[in-house]
Amino acid sequence: MTDRRTFIKDAALALGGIAIPHGNADAATWESFFQTHFREMDATEKKRVVERLEKEYSEKYKKDITVGVEKAIPGVLFGYGLDLSRCIGCRRCVYACVDENNQSKDPQVQWISVLRFKKGEKWSDLEDSEKYYNPAQVPEEEYFYMPVQCQQCENPPCVRSCPTQATWKEPDGIVVVDYNWCIGCRYCMAACPYGARRFNWGEPGRKAEEINPKTHYLGNRPRPRGVVEKCTFCIQRSRNGRYPACVEVCPVGARKFGNLLDPKSEIRYLIEHKRVFRLKEDLNTNPKFYYFFAYGR
Amino acid sequence: MPAFITNFFIALRQIFIGTKSYYLWVGFLLIPILAGLATYFGQQAPNGLIVTAMRDQVSWGFYISNFTFLVGVAAAAVLLVVPAYVYNFKPIKEIVLFGELMAITAICMCLMFIIIDMGHPERAWHILPFIGMMNFPSSLLAWDVLVLNGYLAINSFVAFYVLYKLSTGKDYNMSLILPLIILSIPWAVSIHTVTAFLYNGLGARPFWNASILAPRFLASAFCSGPALMILLFQIIRKVSDAEIDDRAIFKIAELIAYAMGINLFLLGAEVFKDFYTGSVHAASIQYLYLGLHGYSALVPWIWFATVLNISAFFLFLVPKTRHNFTTLNMACIFVVIGIYIEKGMGLVVPGFVPDTLGEIYEYSPTKTEILISIGVWATGALIYTLLLKFALPIYTGKLRFASSTPQINPKVA
């Protein structure tokens, strides 16, 4: 694959030395322009790219920022459970996610949407939901809540639709995006049935002190403008044996997370013993995100 | 240097030589082109797509709407070839070239609309096979890139080959060109089918996920493309010495009548299914035609388009109005505007409203989007003008090259 890259690099440079970016400072611009697809990089190449990105981010935010490339752990397939009988609609998950995953705050980007439904009214088509509810206090007696984020489909329509293979499903089941490969066509957003994908319409804005310095290449590293991003089950945490931020922060324990391949995991227990369903199952996307009711109310 | 290259440049020189009204027209086009460029490089490029009204809920808008409409124009311009060769109808055969040049122009405009819609246009090479990572055959967008560029290549080759042969006064080699022309017919169908499938294949969007979508795309393209060509034929024969037979124009008008009949029928079938069933999947079409929960930005537009399309259908159908240039041109303008609304914003935006989580975000393009889009349209008009200026002297026989020594008829200008 190095051949391919060298070829276009040479071809571009041969275009009459029009090299627009010049000098040392701009070498990184070229590097990033010719950067190959993440899945085609070998270890040394990954190392070089990570070093370049770490330098770039650290200079931009004036603090040390690490970019991990931890691989999927063999024998792990991540699954998520969300207990609708517990969720109180407080949106702490939404904000914990933003804190953890370095989303832009201006313009605002959030990976989790919490939908509010009136009890006793139809909710199958989600159309009667309210995303911007803003009461003085939650939970409200007459409503119930359903948080939605990337469902990490086993059969993801977004991956199928991406024209450049910039988004794919990792061996541990997490659907990721290479922000350096995404061309920003947004076909995946049209394809996603769960409204889980976000586009950086403008330059992501976030104060340096708000940046979470521990990042992963396929997850929460700072994103450029004009690319798509989404929930990765906090890949930078989950691949290091930690819970995603939303699981950790949930004050009522509505969020469960674990290894679907481990018969003794909590997620397996709830799938086997609770009344679970998945969103829009008719589309056969096969989400690894299970909604369930731990108790009736 | 081979003679044909020298001759090419001699022919190319024609685009710089023209009447006062030619210069005026080109100058007139340069204003919106420059305005569009200035808006793109002054606003969208430095700030990102946030200068558009598109957001996560409605992630495609005016640019992709224009793209979709123009794929139809590109497809239909060549579909003129069908009657020409299937029925061996000579008057149309003579004007196929203009259709091919229109196809080239429309594809160029399509590519421009795609480029300006991208978050990272400089990464466009990622989509190419071999040097990029084209997701073929999985992604319909990858298919679209292939068929659109293939279509551009076929039409460019045919058009320029025919011109080259004409310019040397020789008859072109039918055995070489006919297979390509025949190939361009299913290929024209394919570009519009693939573009329809691009929307059609998304289970997430019930509005697009209807099998009738691709047939509707084709039927409407058969209306808008030829209607645009009829208007252009009249301009071409007015400003040049190209002879375009009335019979060709009336034949095409007749074909539009049938296409529009089918288009309206298919629309009716879709409207019936959605509204009579009344499932939750009817929300988008409801938003389009009636408005949803008080949101109705597209309603006046789509009814305007429907009225135009139905009136045009009758104007094309009745021989008397079809053979009268006033009513014929009216009908053509109706169709172009009607289909532009129906197969543009009327197709793209309702796919996103309500969004997959039931939210309604009303999209209407910003001034930036409109200015940039007008710039692309003006660029298209300029491309077509220049292509014609290049082709017409050869087509009409004013410019002829002896096999080796280039000669120019002094009357050319």
Side-chain angles (χ1 to χ4, degrees), chain A residues 131-176:
Chain A
K131 201 161 117 185
Y132 306 102
Y133 64 90
N134 192 19
Q137 219 178 353
V138 287
E140 303 151 281
E141 191 42 52
E142 65 273 35
Y143 295 103
F144 68 98
Y145 309 89
M146 181 166 77
V148 183
Q149 61 209 69
C150 175
Q151 311 280 303
Q152 315 290 358
C153 307
E154 268 302 278
N155 179 19
C158 52
V159 168
R160 209 186 314 154
S161 65
C162 174
T164 62
Q165 306 182 41
T167 186
W168 68 92
K169 196 180 71 190
E170 285 277 285
D172 53 6
I174 303 177
V175 175
V176 293

